Amino acid sequence: MSRFALPIPQLRARTGPRTDELARVRLASAGSARGRQIPVRHAPTSVASSVCGFCSTGCSLDVHVRDRRPVNVVPTDVYPVNSGSACPKGWEAMTPMSSAGRATTPLLRRGGRLEPVSWDVAFDEFCSKVRRVQADHGADSFAFLSTGQIVTEEMALLGAVAKFGLGMVHGDGNTRQCMATAVTAYKECFGFDAPPYTYADFEESDVVVLVGSNLAIAHPIMFERLQRNPHRPEIIVVDPRATETAMIATRHLATAPKSDQTLFYGIARELIAREAIDRRYIAEHTSGFEDYAAFVADFDAGRVCAATGLDVESYLGAIDAIAAGKRVSFWWTMGVNQGHAATRTAQAIIALALMTGNIGRPGTGANSITGQCNAMGSRLFSNTASLFCGRDTTNPEHRQEVADIIGIDAAAIPDRPSWAYDQIIEGIVKGKIRGLWVIATNPAHSWINHGHLHDVLERLDVLVVQDLYADTETAVLSDLFLPAAGWAEKEGTFINSERRIGRVRALHQPPGDARTDFEIFQGIAEVWGCGPMFRRWRTPAKVFDLLAELSRGRPCDISGIGGHTGLDEVAVGVQWPQPEGSLDTAVERRLFEDGRFFTPDQRARFVFEEPTVAPERASDRYPLVLLTGRGTTAQWHTQTRTGRSPVLAALGPEHLYVDMSPADAEARGVKSGDTVAVTSRRGAVEARVFVTPSVATGQVFLPMHDRRINVLTAPGFDPYSRQPSYKHSAVQVAAV
Ligand SMILES: Nc1nc2c(c(=O)[nH]1)N[C@H]1C(S)=C(S)[C@@H](COP(=O)(O)OP(=O)(O)OC[C@H]3O[C@@H](n4cnc5c(=O)[nH]c(N)nc54)[C@H](O)[C@@H]3O)O[C@H]1N2
Ligand SMILES: Nc1nc2c(c(=O)[nH]1)N[C@H]1C(S)=C(S)[C@@H](COP(=O)(O)OP(=O)(O)OC[C@H]3O[C@@H](n4cnc5c(=O)[nH]c(N)nc54)[C@H](O)[C@@H]3O)O[C@H]1N2
Ligand code: SF4
Ligand SMILES: [Mo]
């Protein structure tokens, strides 16, 4: 089987015939025939573009390939997302291809040690281990945890093979840590998981409200687009910290952590009181407004300012700005999604857009920004939390539809929903989950309260990890390790935050015996004996075609794209929905331009609830609130990929720093550079202090990239989305 669905010679040679093909160089060194021109052979350089494999912005990168090796990466100049820009991670995207330390062979734990084995042995071991656990403890005792970082086609194949082929019931993704809240909020309000915007909205708004989103660090190219907005917009940043993003704000609302829900109810009340709302839009396109208005009436300025810590003037000033806006866009990310009341908070943002009619027009929207390169792909096409394309696995008609389209028996499709990530972990504790297969995620670093998780993973009978690297915090605990190909080593698509589907290409041979995740899933299916179920899933291109069929008539319809070939031809990506027959890539697609939503009555809903307090509050012993998040544009999550680039390492801090306010530092007698212990009810971490007014007194901030951070975090979850609340834990900081 070839690793390359696309043979290298077929790469788009954009540069045409190169003069360096037979470059003539002058040998200038003494002793050589002076001035003689000799021909030097270089292989032709071809250039192919591929959507970046880090964040959800979805920039396109041009990979220059010579002698079947990538030699350079530069941002694509003609791609509508990034127009020739990239952040440091994009410029360093070649690191995983060239860095030492990539896993090159499957590993099996024997006598306590991981030892190299062949793929035949690895597949046999995988299947016999899963079968043994399932035979002893039931089909649902072996679960999987997947990712927003593999191509859509691989996600789809995994969801199909694991659930329809191997009979697994419980499978979730790291997108639970990230996007689950937005998914739940949109579904309840719009009837479908449907972020409505296009990036041009950053440039077309006259008021931009960013909530819990540090765009400058986490989505630098979106931030660049916001800075290109020619309308001199009001930029309102709602974040407890004075972030890099807040530096360009016209108004920074430094709210108390987790007070956003109250804030937005208060803003709604004021807008209604001032009649700064769109009554016609509300009447024609929404339901439940009267109840909403009655509910928010209690949130007067006194109550809001007490909860948020804002002074009345800045609070009312922000409302003036929103009320005066003609094109107001609301954007949110993890400051909202990761909270104990995250879903209702996101819905309070959606409510503001609805009641002011700021949706479905240029420069507007209630816009959740996704995180990982393919978080959007996982939301609709991974077959984990929902059945393909937003279908419901408990609905027999939906199961039959899917079975008919992919040509299998509907009985093979589980009729119960999967447990969420935290329920799978809880299932391990209770002995119900005995085996776990982890693909392209590193929970032993990233999961909340992971000190506990390490003990939990130890209880498993079998842990299988599939990753680029065998030395991640999770991989070193595995019983079986499967080495995977990474970005630009495989074919497929990613879907970015604005729903743009872009191509990812195989431009580099993965090291050693590493295989694409696609090949690994296929290999498992063959050895398991369910290969014949997936004959139509032979290549990533064929899987894309199947997904297009599955999407036909659904809100995320992609049947009109023309498959991988169509995407290759348009070369600028296509935003969903793209039903048959209307392909026009010049158009930036927004949802809800006609005011019709995906609910049964086509009206958007107002959903609300009384705010609740965070489960872990500051106390005498732990008087500070710990916020966590992205620390630098130059590092990605658990740093397995970016940590190996000397360039990126040089762009970030060398040590772990805890940001602390001058008053808190003074009270503890510490100054910048001092070593301190940050302690929570669950553990302690040593860090250096960075004294900065960017954090409020009573709060501290730690970047998530250090492997120790989640020893500290308090396990709280939103009850509807089950997303972890990474951004509110009580800690103490003391000099050591
Ligand atoms: N460089 C880099 N970029 C990345 C990533 C990376 O690892 N590195 N990861 C990607 C992924 S997967 C994701 S999900 C995104 C995340 O992107 P963001 O959500 O923008 O990043 P975070 O830093 O996690 O959180 C954003 C902000 O939330 C604030 N915050 C904390 N608590 C609250 C609160 O209660 N209310 C409000 N309003 N704000 C609060 C924090 O102070 C922080 O500044 O970034 C993506 N981009
Ligand atoms: N304290 C705190 N914790 C957090 C957060 C926070 O804000 N604060 N944010 C949370 C969020 S939003 C997220 S998204 C998670 C991210 O958490 P993780 O998903 O655990 O982090 P990554 O480092 O991105 O892990 C991805 C893994 O996949 C591997 N990989 C990359 N490409 C491929 C591939 O093509 N195939 C295979 N098989 N493997 C591949 C990488 O080597 C890496 O080990 O962290 C969460 N944790
Ligand atoms: S902004 Fe995101 S998509 Fe663009 S180059 Fe950086 S990491 Fe890649
Ligand atoms: Mo994320």
Side-chain angles (χ1 to χ4, degrees), residues 45 81 170 226 237 324 332 470 474 526 655 735:
T45 306
V81 168
H170 302 302
L226 171 60
V237 171
W332 81 87
T474 314
E526 287 305 324
H655 303 284

Side-chain angles (χ1 to χ4, degrees), residues 55 89 178 211-215 217-219 238-241 243 255-260 333-335 338 370-372 627-630 632-637 701 704-705 727:
C55 91
K89 296 183 296 305
C178 183
V211 190
S213 166
N214 193 2
L215 215 56
I217 295 293
H219 301 93
V238 184
D239 196 306
R241 297 187 303 137
T243 57
T255 45
K258 300 293 155 260
S259 64
D260 309 75
T333 320
M334 291 310 124
Q338 298 172 340
T370 49
Q372 305 165 79
L627 309 175
T628 64
R630 277 75 199 155
T632 158
T633 53
Q635 288 305 335
W636 180 255
H637 295 160
F701 175 81
M704 66 164 296
H705 311 296
K727 291 178 166 35

Side-chain angles (χ1 to χ4, degrees), residues 168-187:
M168 293 183 185
V169 176
H170 302 302
D172 203 11
N174 64 359
T175 38
R176 182 72 62 179
Q177 299 163 302
C178 183
M179 299 317 306
T181 292
V183 172
T184 311
Y186 278 140
K187 271 197 196 159

Side-chain angles (χ1 to χ4, degrees), residues 126 128-144 168-170 419 423-438 455-464 477-480:
F126 182 96
S128 61
K129 282 180 184 335
V130 175
R131 281 216 156 92
R132 203 172 317 133
V133 168
Q134 288 183 332
D136 292 350
H137 304 285
D140 57 359
S141 62
F142 212 106
F144 65 98
M168 293 183 185
V169 176
H170 302 302
W419 282 342
Q423 294 164 319
I424 291 175
I425 302 301
E426 211 31 56
I428 302 173
V429 175
K430 294 193 177 128
K432 295 219 152 62
I433 299 286
R434 310 295 288 247
L436 188 67
W437 178 19
V438 176
D455 298 339
V456 173
L457 294 178
E458 293 289 336
R459 298 185 191 204
L460 287 165
D461 296 342
V462 182
L463 175 64
V464 182
L477 303 173
S478 64
D479 301 296
L480 176 65

Side-chain angles (χ1 to χ4, degrees), residues 387 391-404:
L387 191 58
R391 290 180 178 86
D392 176 1
T393 202
T394 63
N395 180 329
E397 281 166 35
H398 285 186
R399 292 201 301 275
Q400 193 60 52
E401 252 170 50
V402 168
D404 291 346

